[in-house]
Amino acid sequence: MQTYNLTHLKELESEAIYVIREVAAQFENPVLLFSGGKDSIVCAHLAKKAFYPAKLPFPLMHVDTGHNFPETIAFRDKFIKELGAELIVASVQESIDQGKVVEEKGFNASRNGLQTVTLLDGIEKHKFDAAMGGARRDEEKARAKERFFSHRDEFGQWDPKNQRPELWNIFNGFKNFGENFRVFPISNWTEMDVWQYILAEGIELPPLYFAHERECFVRDGVVMSTSKFIPQRDTEETKTMQVRFRTIGDMTCTGAVESDADTLEKIIEEVAATRTTERGTRSDDKRSEAAMEDRKRQGYF
Amino acid sequence: MSSYLDMELLRFSTAGSVDDGKSTLIGRLLYDSKSIFEDQYEAIEQTSKKKGDEHVNLALLTDGLRSEREQGITIDVAYRYFATPKRKFIIADTPGHIQYTRNMVTGASTSNLSIILIDARKGIIEQTHRHTFIASLLGIPHVVFCINKMDLVDYSEETFEKIKKEVEAFASKLDVKDIHFIPISALKGDNVVNKSENMDWYKGSTLLYLLENIHIGSDHNHIDCRFPVQSVIRPHSDEFHDYRGYAGRIAGGVFKKGDKVIALPSGFSSKIKSIDTMDGELQEAYAPMSVSMTLEDEIDISRGDMIVRENNQPNVSQDVDVMICWLNDKPLQAGGKYAVKHTTNDARCIIKDVRYKIDINTLHRNEEDKNIGMNDIGRIAIRTTKPLYFDSYRRNRNTGSLIIIDEATHETVGAGMILT
Ligand SMILES: Nc1nc2c(ncn2[C@@H]2O[C@H](COP(=O)(O)OP(=O)(O)O)[C@@H](O)[C@H]2O)c(=O)[nH]1
C-alpha cells in the first residue's frame, strides 16, 4: 500500500503557506514584517512560494532602530530587490525626533523597547489591517499561547486572557474598524526546524549567522559586538573573538556566541548540541522573568 | 542528517483534571528526551528552591503567563515542542478545569493523539468521562490513557487493570478508534521515556516509544478528493501571461494530473492540467499539501469554491445538522443569526433548532433543556445563506468542521462538527 505522508518540514511549510494565503484573502491591506533575521527571511521565502508565479500581494515593513548591524541592512536591500517586493521602512529615529518616544540612557540603553511605538505608528500610518511576522511559539513561554491569528485592539494591545479560540485550520480574521491582527505563519516551527528548512531550501542568510572574527567585549556574561551605539565601561575589555549570532536584532541587545560554525551543517550540529535557548543571548528578555509578556501586552511583536 | 529529512510530525494534546500530573508529565517528556535547555532548567531550579520544593518541579517548565503563575494554574492552551530523531512533536497543553471544555476542544481540534491522565489513586472520575467524550467527539484518531502516580499505589498491577477495565467499558460506548493504556509515574519517570524497573508485569511500550511509532499515515482522509480554493493566482506577467492557478490546501483525497474534476458550486467539469509549486510540477498531491492547480478549461472559480472528483462529490446543502461546542459567555441564541466559516467559505446562518443538549458526564441527551451556554455541547440544525460543500466530520475533519462567529463582537463562539 502506498503511504501518503509528509515529512515534518513539508507539513510545516504547507501550514505556513496556507496561513499566508489566508491573510492575503481575508485582509485588505496586510504587511509582512521583515527584520532581516532568519525567521523573517524564512517567512518571506514562504510568502514567495505561496503566490508563485505571481509576486507578493503585500509589502514588507522593516522597523529600523537605527542601531542595526550594517550587514543586516546590506542584506535586506539585496534580498528585497531579488524578491521584487516593496519595502517600507519605519524608523525609530523618526519616532525619537518627533518626540513620541524618549531614548534610554546609560550603559544598557537600548532602542529595543522603543520599537513598539514605531511599529504601531507604522501600522496606523499605512492602515495595515494585518501584520505578519516570524515569531515562533517555542521562543518563549508567553509566546507559547499565541494564536496564528492574534487579534489586537485599537491600541495594538494583546489580551492573553481573552484570545479567540482557534480551531482546526479555520482562521477568524473578522474585526472592527481600527483593529488589526498579528499573524504568525511559522508559529509551530522550532529553531531547529528553521535551520533545517534553510538548509533544505538553500536559503541565503546574512553573514552574521556564520562564525567570523569580530571585535567583542563581555558584559554580564553576554558577548557583545563593539559598536558606536554601545558605551563601553573601562573594565570591559575589547578582544577579537570567533563568534556568530543566533538571532539578529538591535546591536545594543543582541549577544553573540563563541563558535566555529561557519556552514549551515555545522550550525545545525551546534544547535542540536546547544544547551541554552536562543533568546538566552538577548538581554531584553532577562530584565524580568515576565519581561516578554509585558512587552507583548503593549503591542511588541 | 538524512534521518532528519525523513521525520514525521505528530500533534498531540493532553487532558486530565487538576493535579493529575499533566504538567509534570510534559516536563518529564521534555526533560528525559533532552529537550530542555540549560537556562530553562536553571530558571525552574531557582523557582523550585524559592518555593521550597524538595525536587526540581518539572511542572514549572510548561507554566505560562504571569497571571497563571500567580494563580498557580494553567488557563489556556499552550503549545510545546520537542523532537526525537524519529518525529517532531507538537503538544497542545490544555487545562483540566470543568469550565474549560472550550480549551480542550481547541487543543484537540488539530491533534492526531490525545493523552488522558488518570490518577491511579482516584481511578475514573467525572472528568475522565468528559475528556474521553471530547476526544471521541473531536475525532482524535488515537487515545492514550496514562494511569499516573503508580508510585503511590505500590506499582500495583491490579489497580492498573481495574482502571483499564472501567475505561474500556465506558469507551466502548464511544467512537474511539485506537485506545492504549500505560501505567506511569510522571514524577519518577517510570514508563514515560524509560522503561519502568518497578513494573515488570507491564509488557507494553513506554509513552515516548508509542508516540514515536504509532501509525499516523492514515489519519488524513486519502479517499475523497476535496480542494477548497483559497485564492486565484494571476501573475499578469509576460512569462505567465495566461496563468490562472487555484491556490489551496488539499482537504482530502489524492489529486492527480489529468484527473477529471468538477468545480462547486458551478458544476462545470474539466481536467487537472497541472499541480504546481515553486519547486516544480507535481504528479499528485494529497492532504495536507498546499499547492496551486491549473485546469484545462477556463471556468469561473473563486475563493470558497471547491474542486472535487466528478465521481465522488461532497454533500451540498444549506441545511446542516451540527454538533456544537459553545465557547462564549453569551449563550447560543435559538433563532439567532451568526456568521459561519467552513473550509474557505464564508456564509451566514440562522439557528433553526436546538435538537438536544448532551450531559458530557453521562452522555445523556437532554431534549428538554435546550440552553447551550459556555462549555456546553449540543446538536443543532442550521440553515446557511448559501450552500456548503461538506462531508460528515467523522469522514473528514477538514470538510466536516465549521466555526460560528458572533456578528456583533466578531468572536468565535461555536465549534461545529457536521453530522449530516
Ligand atoms: N507521587 C507522584 N506525584 C506526582 C506524579 N505526577 C505528578 N505528581 C504530583 O502531583 C502534583 C500535581 O502535578 P501537576 O503536574 O502540577 O498537575 P497538573 O495540574 O495536572 O498539571 C504535583 O505535586 C506533582 O509533583 C507521580 O507520578 N507521582
Side-chain angles (χ1 to χ4, degrees):
Chain A
M1 199 191 85
Q2 188 172 1
T3 57
Y4 296 105
N5 225 358
L6 295 181
T7 66
H8 80 293
L9 286 178
K10 280 284 167 201
E11 188 162 342
L12 291 172
E13 176 191 71
S14 155
E15 177 178 82
I17 289 176
Y18 173 79
V19 172
I20 294 168
R21 286 171 171 171
E22 277 304 289
V23 171
Q26 291 197 33
F27 296 94
E28 275 166 33
N29 195 16
V31 65
L32 176 62
L33 298 180
F34 186 80
S35 69
K38 68 179 191 312
D39 298 326
S40 64
I41 291 168
V42 164
C43 277
H45 178 81
L46 290 162
K48 190 172 163 192
K49 284 194 149 186
F51 303 103
Y52 177 86
K55 289 238 153 85
L56 261 57
F58 40 72
L60 277 65
M61 182 161 85
H62 181 213
V63 178
D64 183 354
T65 61
H67 288 175
N68 294 290
F69 291 94
E71 292 93 332
T72 309
I73 299 298
F75 181 88
R76 177 193 79 186
D77 294 343
K78 179 168 156 264
F79 182 86
I80 299 285
K81 204 166 150 221
E82 281 168 15
L83 192 65
E86 184 198 343
L87 176 74
I88 294 167
V89 177
S91 149
V92 171
Q93 187 63 51
E94 251 169 56
S95 304
I96 294 169
D97 295 345
Q98 290 165 358
K100 286 184 171 150
V101 292
V102 178
E103 185 134 45
E104 291 183 11
K105 296 204 170 59
F107 283 101
N108 286 317
S110 165
R111 287 185 171 179
N112 204 52
L114 311 184
Q115 284 182 74
T116 304
V117 173
T118 310
L119 170 66
L120 295 180
D121 267 6
I123 288 174
E124 202 174 309
K125 179 170 155 202
H126 298 278
K127 305 223 166 6
F128 292 127
D129 52 0
M132 285 174 276
R136 294 179 280 109
R137 288 174 180 152
D138 86 320
E139 280 177 68
E140 211 278 335
K141 275 198 222 170
R143 289 214 199 272
K145 320 215 149 174
E146 264 289 12
R147 303 294 192 254
F148 277 93
F149 273 42
S150 179
H151 178 253
R152 302 303 163 102
D153 66 16
E154 64 220 283
F155 302 104
Q157 296 182 99
W158 181 58
D159 180 0
K161 277 241 178 111
N162 192 22
Q163 299 189 83
R164 289 179 186 174
E166 205 160 76
L167 297 114
W168 300 290
N169 294 306
I170 312 177
F171 298 112
N172 173 0
F174 284 36
K175 61 185 179 328
N176 290 313
F177 186 74
E179 296 175 345
N180 60 64
F181 276 77
R182 301 289 167 81
V183 181
F184 308 103
I186 60 166
S187 286
N188 277 331
W189 299 43
T190 59
E191 183 184 18
M192 188 54 135
D193 297 329
V194 170
W195 283 114
Q196 287 287 346
Y197 187 72
I198 289 168
L199 177 64
E201 295 283 303
I203 298 171
E204 202 187 326
L205 291 183
L208 293 166
Y209 282 111
F210 301 92
H212 57 281
E213 284 200 342
R214 177 174 286 268
E215 304 269 281
C216 296
F217 68 96
V218 178
R219 175 177 293 175
D220 303 331
V222 180
V223 180
M224 304 293 291
S225 174
T226 57
S227 154
K228 62 176 183 233
F229 308 125
I230 317 175
Q232 243 165 285
R233 295 189 180 87
D234 296 340
T235 51
E236 292 169 337
E237 173 199 346
T238 302
K239 39 187 178 182
T240 307
M241 294 167 83
Q242 174 89 358
V243 296
R244 65 176 207 88
F245 293 87
R246 292 176 71 189
T247 67
I248 294 182
D250 189 277
M251 280 192 95
T252 59
C253 67
T254 306
V257 287
E258 293 198 75
S259 167
D260 298 323
D262 54 2
T263 63
L264 282 173
E265 287 84 353
K266 285 190 201 162
I267 290 174
I268 286 166
E269 252 171 60
E270 190 186 280
V271 171
T274 303
R275 307 303 303 150
T276 53
T277 55
E278 85 193 287
R279 293 198 80 90
T281 54
R282 295 191 55 152
S283 51
D284 46 328
D285 288 339
K286 287 209 169 148
R287 293 188 178 186
S288 92
E289 204 197 333
M292 172 66 100
E293 189 184 326
D294 289 340
R295 277 182 291 129
K296 272 179 72 78
R297 278 176 191 274
Q298 291 152 13
Y300 180 79
F301 216 73
Chain B
M1 218 9 262
S2 62
S3 82
Y4 199 88
L5 296 173
D6 291 335
M7 273 168 64
E8 293 173 328
L9 180 62
L10 177 86
R11 300 173 199 253
F12 68 92
S13 50
T14 54
S17 45
V18 182
D19 285 344
D20 280 352
K22 217 156 37 68
S23 314
T24 310
L25 175 63
I26 295 173
R28 171 63 63 190
L29 269 174
L30 297 175
Y31 185 68
D32 283 0
S33 65
K34 311 209 166 24
S35 314
I36 302 298
F37 294 111
E38 240 165 50
D39 53 344
Q40 289 175 314
Y41 190 76
E42 276 165 20
I44 64 160
E45 199 174 18
Q46 271 186 11
T47 314
S48 301
K49 262 192 210 140
K50 237 190 277 170
K51 283 192 180 159
D53 287 351
E54 196 179 318
H55 307 275
V56 173
N57 187 354
L58 292 174
L60 293 172
L61 281 170
T62 60
D63 192 22
L65 302 180
R66 172 187 289 192
S67 50
E68 296 164 43
R69 276 201 294 282
E70 279 160 11
Q71 293 168 42
I73 52 161
T74 314
I75 54 165
D76 200 5
V77 187
Y79 295 88
R80 295 272 143 204
Y81 303 85
F82 74 104
T84 65
K86 277 208 154 141
R87 279 185 179 164
K88 172 196 163 99
F89 300 97
I90 302 180
I91 313 175
D93 182 12
T94 61
H97 272 274
I98 298 171
Q99 62 269 44
Y100 294 124
T101 298
R102 147 184 161 144
N103 295 328
M104 181 170 168
V105 168
T106 305
S109 69
T110 50
S111 296
N112 304 84
L113 180 148
S114 172
I115 293 177
I116 299 180
L117 274 157
I118 297 175
D119 185 329
R121 295 170 305 175
K122 297 186 196 149
I124 294 193
I125 54 172
E126 204 177 280
Q127 271 101 322
T128 317
H129 289 173
R130 181 178 314 131
H131 296 147
T132 314
F133 173 62
I134 293 173
S136 107
L137 185 74
L138 269 289
I140 300 179
H142 318 277
V143 179
V144 181
F145 289 91
C146 285
I147 319 302
N148 189 30
K149 308 199 185 181
M150 288 299 292
D151 56 302
L152 298 180
V153 295
D154 291 329
Y155 298 104
S156 152
E157 179 175 11
E158 212 184 314
T159 307
F160 172 73
E161 287 298 333
K162 182 167 169 281
I163 295 172
K164 182 176 163 188
K165 280 215 181 66
E166 282 172 25
V167 174
E168 279 172 339
F170 170 74
S172 65
K173 288 182 256 166
L174 297 166
D175 185 11
V176 190
K177 289 171 199 152
D178 181 30
I179 296 194
H180 301 261
F181 296 87
I182 307 178
I184 65 165
S185 168
L187 189 69
K188 306 264 162 83
D190 299 77
N191 288 335
V192 178
V193 171
N194 303 312
K195 207 152 177 56
S196 170
E197 287 171 6
N198 300 307
M199 290 180 273
D200 299 341
W201 49 264
Y202 174 70
K203 302 293 179 229
S205 52
T206 63
L207 178 61
L208 184 66
Y209 184 88
L210 186 76
L211 294 174
E212 282 186 310
N213 292 285
I214 202 159
H215 176 71
I216 52 173
S218 312
D219 290 1
H220 279 284
N221 176 321
H222 293 310
I223 297 162
D224 312 307
C225 291
R226 307 285 182 257
F227 185 66
V229 175
Q230 268 186 296
S231 60
V232 183
I233 294 181
R234 305 228 49 190
H236 300 294
S237 62
D238 291 344
E239 192 186 345
F240 296 96
H241 191 75
D242 293 322
Y243 189 92
R244 192 183 177 88
Y246 304 106
R249 196 176 190 195
I250 298 186
V254 182
F255 285 90
K256 295 192 168 72
K257 188 174 167 169
D259 276 354
K260 253 188 120 176
V261 292
I262 68 159
L264 298 171
S266 72
F268 288 127
S269 60
S270 185
K271 270 191 184 163
I272 298 177
K273 185 169 157 195
S274 66
I275 302 172
D276 299 329
T277 69
M278 197 173 90
D279 305 314
E281 236 190 76
L282 302 175
Q283 290 307 307
E284 59 178 23
Y286 48 89
M289 290 165 71
S290 285
V291 297
S292 158
M293 246 182 231
T294 63
L295 302 182
E296 296 282 357
D297 306 278
E298 204 154 292
I299 51 182
D300 190 21
I301 298 178
S302 52
R303 175 174 168 86
D305 294 358
M306 192 183 278
I307 295 174
V308 303
R309 284 273 284 278
E310 196 160 23
N311 55 3
N312 175 342
Q313 298 189 23
N315 302 303
V316 180
S317 176
Q318 283 174 259
D319 289 294
V320 187
D321 258 47
V322 172
M323 196 65 89
I324 192 98
C325 173
W326 202 250
L327 312 168
N328 202 267
D329 285 326
K330 199 170 143 206
L332 171 85
Q333 307 292 313
K337 294 191 177 99
Y338 294 90
V340 179
K341 272 183 179 285
H342 170 255
T343 65
T344 56
N345 214 345
D346 282 309
R348 299 179 65 218
C349 78
I350 180 161
I351 311 295
K352 274 194 349 196
D353 187 28
V354 178
R355 310 250 196 241
Y356 54 77
K357 177 160 126 181
I358 293 185
D359 180 323
I360 50 178
N361 298 316
T362 62
L363 304 188
H364 176 70
R365 296 173 175 184
N366 191 337
E367 295 180 16
E368 310 304 309
D369 176 9
K370 296 189 170 180
N371 293 312
I372 308 271
M374 174 73 120
N375 295 306
D376 286 339
I377 292 170
R379 179 172 176 160
I380 60 171
I382 62 173
R383 182 169 177 82
T384 53
T385 46
K386 61 180 186 186
L388 303 183
Y389 331 116
F390 62 90
D391 298 286
S392 73
Y393 186 80
R394 286 264 150 261
R395 196 154 174 94
N396 190 326
R397 286 165 92 182
N398 297 319
T399 53
S401 53
L402 55 81
I403 61 170
I404 288 185
I405 297 165
D406 185 313
E407 292 184 297
T409 63
H410 297 153
E411 284 172 320
T412 303
V413 291
M417 286 138 285
I418 301 176
L419 297 161
T420 53

